Amino acid sequence: HVQLMESGGDSVQAGGSLRLSCVASGSTPRCMAWFRQAPGKEREGVGAIDGDGRSRYADFMKDQFTISRDNAKNTLYLQMNSLKAEDTAMYYCAARVGFYCPTGSRWRDLSGYDYWGQGTQVTVS
């Protein structure tokens, strides 16, 4: 079993930056991902990273966010730059036991993940 704990959410001004962290405890997850959910909207994928560090992003995130991981610390990161008001959302960490994240666009399917964190709030004004 895996427990995920996100941190780093905050209220920032537009144009600012934040780095979110997600610490995994219990079994070591391989594929990990970030999702976000804005008020009144569906949860959407931000990016995912395989156990070997290969990452993939939603097209609209690619130049703004960077996903990375430190396997020695069992920690997933999301560096967010040039934040905009529309980035305001609850950000969730997700993990699956499989080494590789689902291929193609399937990494964005919520059903592909076995574990979820409680989320960390990002507010951009």
Side-chain angles (χ1 to χ4, degrees):
H1 189 70
V2 176
Q3 294 84 41
L4 303 173
M5 179 65 70
E6 304 96 335
S7 63
D10 204 348
S11 295
V12 298
Q13 292 188 338
S17 298
L18 281 175
R19 188 176 81 156
L20 306 184
S21 299
C22 172
V23 178
S25 59
S27 301
T28 302
R30 305 297 187 173
C31 164
M32 298 185 76
W34 286 102
F35 287 78
R36 71 181 186 181
Q37 188 167 19
K41 294 188 177 181
E42 294 185 350
R43 196 170 297 190
E44 63 179 357
V46 175
I49 188 166
D50 296 332
D52 60 3
R54 187 171 71 98
S55 59
R56 73 284 309 270
Y57 300 90
D59 287 343
F60 52 92
M61 304 292 178
K62 202 159 42 177
D63 296 326
Q64 186 185 358
F65 295 170
T66 302
I67 190 170
S68 61
R69 67 191 296 162
D70 184 335
N71 288 339
K73 296 181 179 179
N74 275 351
T75 302
L76 175 72
Y77 301 102
L78 181 67
Q79 178 66 43
M80 305 188 295
N81 299 323
S82 303
L83 285 163
K84 304 182 287 279
E86 50 263 45
D87 296 318
T88 294
M90 185 73 78
Y91 284 72
Y92 296 92
C93 174
R96 53 183 277 146
V97 176
F99 188 84
Y100 294 107
C101 297
T103 57
S105 62
R106 294 186 300 128
W107 69 265
R108 295 181 291 186
D109 292 339
L110 277 65
S111 61
Y113 296 87
D114 305 303
Y115 307 103
W116 290 85
Q118 294 299 306
T120 186
Q121 178 68 38
V122 173
T123 302
V124 185
S125 59

